[in-house]
Amino acid sequence: MLERVLSFRRASPVTDDGDGEGDESKTRKQLYPATRFTNYMTRTFHIWPFLLIGVVLVVVTSFAYHSRDLVCISASSSGNISRLRFFGFEGLETDVGSLGVPWCRSKHDKSVEWTTKDLLEGLEEFVPIYETRPIKNNMYGMGFDHSFGLWFIARWLKPELMIESGAFKGHSTWVLRQAMPDTPIISITPRHPEKYLKKGPAYVDGNCTYFAGKDFVDFGSVDWEKVMKKHEIKDQGEVLIFFDDHQNELKRLKQALKAGFRHLVFEDNYDTGTGDHYSFRQMCDQFYVRGGGHSCFKDSDEARVRSRRKKFWEKAVDIEELCGPGEAWWGVRGQMRDDFNHSNKAITYAEHFQNSRFVESVLDVYWELPPVAGPSLTHQTRYDPARAQSPIVEDGRYGLFQRLGLSRLETSVFNGYTQMVYLQVSQEP
C-alpha cells in the first residue's frame, strides 16, 4: 500500500499541449483520499456529536442486554458454556434433541399423575430436608437429583412397604425415611451400613430390616412370599422397590415380576454406550422408537455432534466409545453388562430387539426423572443435556433456582445424574 501511495505522488505532471483544452479529468486538481475525508469531516462537523452519542447508546444498550443474560447464566454457570452463550455461540444448545432421547413405550400410553408444578412444590419442600442429610459427602452414591426423585416418588405413592437393593452408606435409606417416616423398610446390601460408621458418616435405620453382611441374600433369591406375610402385605402393588445395585435391569425386572411387584425405581438408568450394567434406557434405544437408534458411520452428522459435545461433557460418548465390533452400538458396544461390569456378555441386535419388546409387553408407565435444573445453573459438567429430558428448572431461570433454595447447595451434588427411572409394570399378557 505504501509503495502504491508513493508511486502516485511521483507521477509526472500533466502538461498543457498549447491549445488550452483537453480531458477535464486530467487537468482538474487531484484530491487525495485523506484530503477528501478531512473536507467531509469539516463540512459535517455539526452532526458528528449526535452520531457519536447514538453509537454510545447502542453499545451501552447491547452490553446491558447481554449482561442480563450473563447474570442468569455466567453467574450461575460453568465456564465454557456461559462464555459461549454470552458471546453468541449457541451451537451446543442447538444440539439438544439432535441425538435423540429414547423413551420406553408403555402398553396403553399411560403417564404419571404428577405434573411439573408438583415437582416444583416438592423441590421447595425437599431442599431444607436435604440440607440436614447425615452424609454430606456421598461420593459414589446418590446426589441431589436422584435423592429428590426417590423422595418425591415415595411420598407420592405412599407405599405400605419400601424395599431397596443396594444401600451403600445408607443415604437412600435416609431419603426413604424422610418421605415415609413410619413405613417399614427392607434393605438388601452386601455390606451393612453400620460398618461405614467406623470411618465416617453413615445412616442406620431403626425401622429397617437388613439383609446385609452375614444375612445378605440377593434380591432374586429372597423368599418374597414369606417376607410379605411377615410384614402383613396382602397386595404387592402397595410396595415400592428401589434398585441401586448395578445389576442388569432386565434381570431385576423379571425377578420383580415373578414376585408380583409393580412399582419399581432404577437409580442408574444408564444411557447407551455408558454404565456398568444393561439398562432400560439402553433396551429402549431402538430405531422404531422416536429418538432411538444410532449410526456408527464415522463421517455422519451424529459422529460430528458427538465429537463436539465430548469436549464439554465428561460423560458424553463419541462414536469410538459407542460402537463396538461389527458396528454394534446397543448396550455398551454391543454388550449386555451386569454386576458392576464383572460380566459383559456380547449380544446380537436381534436379542436386544426382543428385550425391548418384552419390556413393552409389561410396561404400564415409564417416567424418567428430569434433571433438577439446567447445567448453567447447577454447574454440572458430567452428563450431556442433549441426552436427557428438559430440566425442571430450565437454564436462565436463576430467580426460580434461587427461590427454591437450590443455590445454597454445593455444586458437586448435581453431578451424579444418570436418568433415574420409575416403572409401573404388570404381568406379561
Side-chain angles (χ1 to χ4, degrees):
M1 176 65 74
L2 178 61
E3 199 172 276
R4 289 175 58 194
V5 170
L6 291 175
S7 175
F8 178 78
R9 289 176 179 174
R10 286 196 301 264
S12 301
V14 178
T15 59
D16 194 339
D17 59 4
D19 59 8
E21 295 180 2
D23 189 345
E24 186 179 355
S25 66
K26 295 180 182 179
T27 59
R28 180 185 298 171
K29 184 179 179 181
Q30 298 294 314
L31 294 178
Y32 302 140
T35 304
R36 292 175 182 174
F37 179 75
T38 302
N39 291 343
Y40 174 76
M41 290 291 291
T42 302
R43 290 196 305 270
T44 60
F45 179 78
H46 61 286
I47 67 171
W48 276 100
F50 301 100
L51 291 175
L52 185 60
I53 293 172
V55 170
V56 171
L57 286 174
V58 169
V59 171
V60 170
T61 303
S62 176
F63 182 79
Y65 174 81
H66 286 293
S67 296
R68 181 186 62 180
D69 189 48
L70 186 62
V71 170
C72 291
I73 295 172
S74 183
S76 57
S77 69
S78 81
N80 290 330
I81 304 303
S82 62
R83 287 194 294 272
L84 285 170
R85 289 192 63 190
F86 177 66
F87 289 108
F89 299 102
E90 299 185 354
L92 284 174
E93 291 190 346
T94 63
D95 288 339
V96 175
S98 65
L99 294 179
V101 179
W103 190 265
C104 291
R105 304 194 308 183
S106 59
K107 290 184 294 185
H108 308 295
D109 200 29
K110 291 171 60 179
S111 186
V112 293
E113 297 175 351
W114 53 82
T115 65
T116 301
K117 181 182 177 182
D118 296 319
L119 292 170
L120 287 169
E121 290 176 354
L123 275 172
E124 191 171 13
E125 183 178 346
F126 181 68
V127 169
I129 294 174
Y130 184 76
E131 288 178 307
T132 68
R133 64 196 184 282
I135 307 168
K136 300 296 184 184
N137 181 8
N138 195 33
M139 186 177 292
Y140 308 118
M142 285 198 302
F144 180 82
D145 296 78
H146 293 185
S147 299
F148 166 69
L150 179 60
W151 173 85
F152 181 88
I153 293 168
R155 197 173 65 104
W156 187 279
L157 296 178
K158 293 181 171 52
E160 293 181 7
L161 175 67
M162 300 180 290
I163 301 170
E164 61 175 354
S165 180
F168 192 31
K169 297 179 183 179
H171 175 77
S172 56
T173 316
W174 177 84
V175 170
L176 290 170
R177 178 56 64 224
Q178 305 315 300
M180 300 295 292
D182 303 315
T183 301
I185 300 172
I186 295 175
S187 184
I188 304 169
T189 191
R191 188 178 186 185
H192 201 293
E194 67 183 6
K195 297 291 184 181
Y196 293 99
L197 283 170
K198 298 177 182 178
K199 295 183 178 181
Y203 177 78
V204 179
D205 192 89
N207 191 16
C208 178
T209 301
Y210 287 94
F211 289 94
K214 61 183 178 58
D215 297 320
F216 172 72
V217 183
D218 184 76
F219 177 88
S221 301
V222 175
D223 185 345
W224 288 114
E225 185 177 351
K226 181 178 179 181
V227 172
M228 293 301 104
K229 187 175 181 180
K230 179 181 178 181
H231 284 84
E232 300 180 347
I233 302 296
K234 297 179 181 179
D235 180 7
Q236 278 89 322
E238 297 298 321
V239 179
L240 175 64
I241 317 291
F242 175 60
F243 292 101
D244 186 13
D245 53 14
H246 296 257
Q247 301 296 300
N248 179 345
E249 293 179 2
L250 179 63
K251 175 180 73 177
R252 288 303 195 215
L253 170 62
K254 291 179 177 178
Q255 292 169 348
L257 285 169
K258 183 179 178 181
F261 298 125
R262 298 192 59 226
H263 298 281
L264 317 174
V265 176
F266 290 84
E267 202 257 338
D268 290 306
N269 185 33
Y270 288 119
D271 195 16
T272 303
T274 70
D276 55 13
H277 62 268
Y278 196 46
S279 68
F280 294 105
R281 170 63 80 96
Q282 295 170 5
M283 283 177 252
C284 298
D285 200 346
Q286 302 282 348
F287 283 112
Y288 67 87
V289 175
R290 184 177 181 182
H294 302 281
S295 167
C296 289
F297 182 48
K298 293 183 180 180
D299 291 327
S300 65
D301 290 339
E302 178 178 350
R304 285 191 289 272
V305 170
R306 285 185 175 278
S307 177
R308 179 166 65 247
R309 301 193 73 81
K310 183 68 177 175
K311 299 173 184 177
F312 291 91
W313 311 107
E314 232 177 279
K315 296 296 184 181
V317 177
D318 61 25
I319 288 296
E320 294 290 339
E321 296 169 303
L322 180 74
C323 299
E327 298 191 340
W329 51 261
W330 46 92
V332 180
R333 298 170 62 86
Q335 299 170 352
M336 183 170 65
R337 293 185 173 180
D338 193 9
D339 192 21
F340 292 88
N341 195 27
H342 293 151
S343 169
N344 55 358
K345 175 187 173 185
I347 60 171
T348 65
Y349 181 75
E351 291 175 285
H352 177 65
F353 180 83
Q354 289 304 316
N355 293 338
S356 175
R357 288 301 197 191
F358 172 77
V359 171
E360 289 179 355
S361 71
V362 301
L363 193 57
D364 289 333
V365 172
Y366 178 92
W367 182 76
E368 285 185 5
L369 172 74
V372 164
S376 74
L377 296 171
T378 62
H379 298 261
Q380 78 84 15
T381 56
R382 301 190 74 195
Y383 77 86
D384 186 347
R387 296 288 289 175
Q389 307 303 317
S390 297
I392 300 171
V393 181
E394 296 185 344
D395 282 322
R397 303 196 66 186
Y398 184 68
L400 177 59
F401 184 79
Q402 201 171 29
R403 285 198 301 275
L404 293 172
L406 294 167
S407 60
R408 298 197 302 266
L409 303 177
E410 304 89 343
T411 57
S412 59
V413 303
F414 296 107
N415 249 342
Y417 177 80
T418 50
Q419 293 93 21
M420 188 168 85
V421 64
Y422 162 70
L423 272 64
Q424 182 178 323
V425 298
S426 58
Q427 294 297 322
E428 186 179 9

